[in-house]
Amino acid sequence: MGKIAPAVGAVAFEPYVRPLMEASEEALHLDHPRLRETSYILWSTMAKVYEEQFAPYLDGVVKGLHECLQQDETKLDVELAEEVKELLGQDVVIAGQKMKVADAENDMDGEDDEDDWDDVGAITDVAMEKEIAIEVVGDVLTHSRGKFLPYFQKTVEIILPLVQHQYEGVRKSAIGTLWRGYACLWGLAEGSGMEKWKPGIPLQVQPTEDLAKLGNLVMTATLAVWQEEIDRGTVTDINRSLAATFKLCGPTILITENGTAVPEITNQLLSILTKRHPCQQDLGEEDGEDGDVPEESSEYDWLVIETAMDTVTCLAAALGESFGELWKVFEKAVLKYASSQERYERSSAVGTVAECAGNMGTAVTPYTAGLLKVVIHRLSDEDPETKSNAAYATGLICEKSTADAIVLKTYNTIFAKLEPVITGDRKEARLLDNSAGCVSRMIARHPDH
C-alpha cells in the first residue's frame, strides 16, 4: 500500500488514506515489533505523499512514535557469559524477545583479548524498532513542516537522550533526525521573514531564539558523540548532517553557549582526514608518526573520509573569507589525497580544493602558487572525473585569487592543457563544461590577457 500511494498520487489514493491509517494505528497494539515497524514506514510514505495535508493524522502518528521511543529497554539487558561467545552475530530469544547478539563496541576482530568480552551486549528488537521510528519522525516533521510545530519540543526532548544509545543505529538516526528538525525550523523561520544567512563569524544574521536554543542543544550532543564514536557509519552520517546543515543554514550552528564550535569541528574533521579518528583505529595503527595517510583506502573506508571532505567544503561556505585561516589546517591532509593512486581519492580531493577556493574567495590568495601547481598537474590526469574537477578548481583559483602575477604566469600552461579537451570529442564527467567554464573565468578575471 505504501508503494501504491506515491505511484498513483495523492488525489487517486485519497479514499484509502483514513482507513489505512486507522488500521496501521491498530497494528501498534498487536505486540509484534515488525508489524509496528511496517506501520511507521507507512506513515513516512503517507507524510511524503500528502505533506501538510497529513496534519489530520499527526496526533495518532506522533503518539505512536513517542510511545515507541519511550519503551523501556533495561529489562532486556543481558550479560553474556564466557560460554556464549559463539552466539555473536546470531539471533537468540530471551524473555520472549528476539535479539541479535553483537559487540557493543563493534570491535570484535578475532583477537583473544579477554577485556573485549566485557563490552559484549545485545541489540534488541526494541532498539531496532526505535531506529526506524526515529527515521520516520524525521520524514514526518520534514514533510508536514509547520503542522508539526505543536509536537516539536516534546519530540526533541524524547530524541535528544537517544544520541547516547548503546546501539549505533539509534545514535545515527537520532542525530540525523535532530539536524533535520533544525533545518525544518530554519526553513519555517525564513518563510516567516527571517533574513537569509550570510557567511562568516561574527554572525551577520541572528537566528530566532528557538533556533539558537535548538542549535546549541543539537551541536553539543553531536560533538559529544562525534569525538568518541567508533562506528564508521555513524560518523559518516554525522558528517553528512553537518555538511547539509552548513549548506542550508550557514554559520549559525557554529555558535553555542560555550562560544564557537569551530575548533572542535576542525579537530574532528582533521582526525578523520588523517585517519586518526576512533572509528578508523584499524586504519591508523600503522601510520607514521608524522601523520601521513596510507596510499589508499577501500571504498567502504573511504566514505567516512569523503563525507568529511564534503563537510570541510560546506564549512568553507558557511565561513566565507574567514575560512582562509582554517585552510592552513586542512591543506596538507587534503592535498595528500590529490596524489593518491586511487582515482576516487584524487577526484574528491581536487573537488574539495575547488569548492574551498570558491567559497573562501579572495582568502585563497596566499595559497595560490601551491594550489595551482597541484590542480594544473591534475589537468593531465588519466581519470576524467579528476581532470574535470581540476579544470573547475583551476578556473576558480584564477578567478578568486588576487595574486595576479602568479596566476598570469600559468595562463599559457593552462590553455595548452585545456585546448585538446575543448577541441576534442571527450565529453565525459562534465569535462568539456568545466574546461569551458575555466577558460571563461580566466577571461573574465583578466580580459586584457
Side-chain angles (χ1 to χ4, degrees):
M1 295 293 280
K3 296 293 184 185
I4 293 171
V8 302
V11 176
F13 199 76
E14 177 65 32
Y16 312 102
V17 178
R18 182 167 294 280
L20 188 55
M21 289 300 298
E22 289 173 354
S24 64
E25 287 185 35
E26 288 173 12
L28 300 185
H29 307 294
L30 297 180
D31 199 26
H32 193 294
R34 289 291 296 139
L35 190 52
R36 289 197 294 270
E37 290 170 15
T38 310
S39 288
Y40 305 150
I41 294 168
L42 174 71
W43 298 346
S44 168
T45 303
M46 293 293 102
K48 291 173 185 174
V49 171
Y50 289 96
E51 298 191 313
E52 290 177 305
Q53 295 175 21
F54 191 64
Y57 309 104
L58 284 177
D59 275 345
V61 165
V62 173
K63 181 175 181 288
L65 292 169
H66 283 182
E67 287 176 354
C68 168
L69 298 178
Q70 291 175 305
Q71 290 179 89
D72 183 16
E73 295 177 70
T74 54
K75 62 183 179 182
L76 299 172
D77 287 347
V78 178
E79 293 183 5
L80 295 183
E82 182 74 19
E83 57 268 25
V84 296
K85 289 182 185 178
E86 65 271 14
L87 292 176
L88 283 174
Q90 298 182 27
D91 290 334
V92 296
V93 177
I94 300 174
Q97 295 281 345
K98 188 172 77 171
M99 310 174 182
K100 183 178 286 292
V101 183
D103 171 15
E105 298 297 329
N106 235 9
D107 195 28
M108 287 303 163
D109 54 9
E111 296 181 5
D112 291 328
D113 186 349
E114 294 301 321
D115 292 338
D116 286 345
W117 295 102
D118 293 337
D119 296 323
V120 173
I123 300 172
T124 67
D125 271 357
V126 172
M128 290 187 279
E129 184 186 336
K130 286 184 178 181
E131 177 186 10
I132 292 173
I134 297 171
E135 292 282 359
V136 171
V137 169
D139 290 339
V140 171
L141 70 84
T142 298
H143 292 278
S144 59
R145 295 187 279 273
K147 303 295 184 182
F148 196 86
L149 283 178
Y151 316 97
F152 198 95
Q153 182 175 343
K154 180 66 174 175
T155 299
V156 170
E157 290 172 359
I158 291 172
I159 293 180
L160 200 58
L162 295 175
V163 301
Q164 297 288 347
H165 197 278
Q166 64 175 354
Y167 173 39
E168 67 274 6
V170 172
R171 295 196 298 274
K172 180 167 61 176
S173 298
I175 292 173
T177 291
L178 287 169
W179 282 118
R180 291 175 74 180
Y182 181 88
C184 180
L185 205 59
W186 181 277
L188 291 171
E190 279 194 340
S192 300
M194 187 179 76
E195 191 179 352
K196 183 170 173 56
W197 65 270
K198 296 176 182 177
I201 292 177
L203 298 180
Q204 297 181 60
V205 175
Q206 295 300 322
T208 64
E209 185 179 345
D210 286 343
L211 276 170
K213 185 183 297 185
L214 181 61
N216 175 65
L217 286 173
V218 182
M219 179 59 82
T220 302
T222 300
L223 292 175
V225 175
W226 199 19
Q227 62 187 350
E228 297 179 354
E229 181 58 62
I230 64 171
D231 177 66
R232 212 163 292 161
T234 302
V235 174
T236 297
D237 266 34
I238 290 174
N239 296 345
R240 287 175 174 146
S241 292
L242 287 175
T245 311
F246 285 138
K247 203 168 185 178
L248 181 69
C249 310
T252 309
I253 61 170
L254 294 169
I255 306 302
T256 69
E257 61 185 12
N258 298 320
T260 172
V262 172
E264 196 164 352
I265 290 173
T266 301
N267 289 339
Q268 295 310 313
L269 290 171
L270 190 61
S271 73
I272 294 170
L273 294 177
T274 55
K275 300 188 178 180
R276 300 197 181 279
H277 191 273
C279 77
Q280 300 164 299
Q281 286 178 353
D282 55 327
L283 297 178
E285 288 169 352
E286 298 178 5
D287 291 353
E289 291 183 2
D290 60 353
D292 287 354
V293 295
E295 276 297 308
E296 58 190 62
S297 317
S298 75
E299 291 197 46
Y300 171 75
D301 298 332
W302 174 248
L303 196 55
V304 70
I305 299 169
E306 183 179 42
T307 53
M309 286 192 189
D310 288 342
T311 310
V312 171
T313 65
C314 294
L315 178 61
L319 291 175
E321 292 198 359
S322 57
F323 181 78
E325 286 298 307
L326 275 187
W327 181 247
K328 291 178 185 174
V329 178
F330 294 118
E331 184 177 28
K332 181 182 177 183
V334 171
L335 293 186
K336 280 182 181 296
Y337 292 107
S339 58
S340 167
Q341 295 181 14
E342 293 288 351
R343 59 175 182 75
Y344 56 83
E345 296 190 5
R346 296 196 304 275
S347 171
S348 293
V350 174
T352 299
V353 169
E355 295 290 352
C356 288
N359 288 332
M360 73 175 101
T362 56
V364 75
T365 301
Y367 312 105
T368 302
L371 292 182
L372 277 178
K373 181 179 178 182
V374 172
V375 298
I376 290 174
H377 177 64
R378 287 298 151 203
L379 286 174
S380 303
D381 201 285
E382 61 187 19
D383 173 51
E385 189 75 44
T386 303
K387 193 171 184 175
S388 175
N389 286 350
Y392 181 47
T394 302
L396 281 169
I397 295 168
C398 290
E399 179 187 27
K400 303 296 183 182
S401 174
T402 59
D404 293 350
I406 296 173
V407 170
L408 288 170
K409 241 181 358 182
T410 66
Y411 264 37
N412 282 340
T413 304
I414 297 168
F415 285 140
K417 286 179 179 284
L418 293 182
E419 185 182 11
V421 177
I422 294 175
T423 59
D425 58 359
R426 295 187 69 183
K427 304 293 190 290
E428 68 266 55
R430 306 176 309 285
L431 187 50
L432 182 61
D433 300 26
N434 283 348
S435 297
C438 177
V439 174
S440 299
R441 287 187 166 95
M442 293 165 71
I443 293 170
R445 182 71 176 84
H446 295 286
D448 296 340
H449 291 78

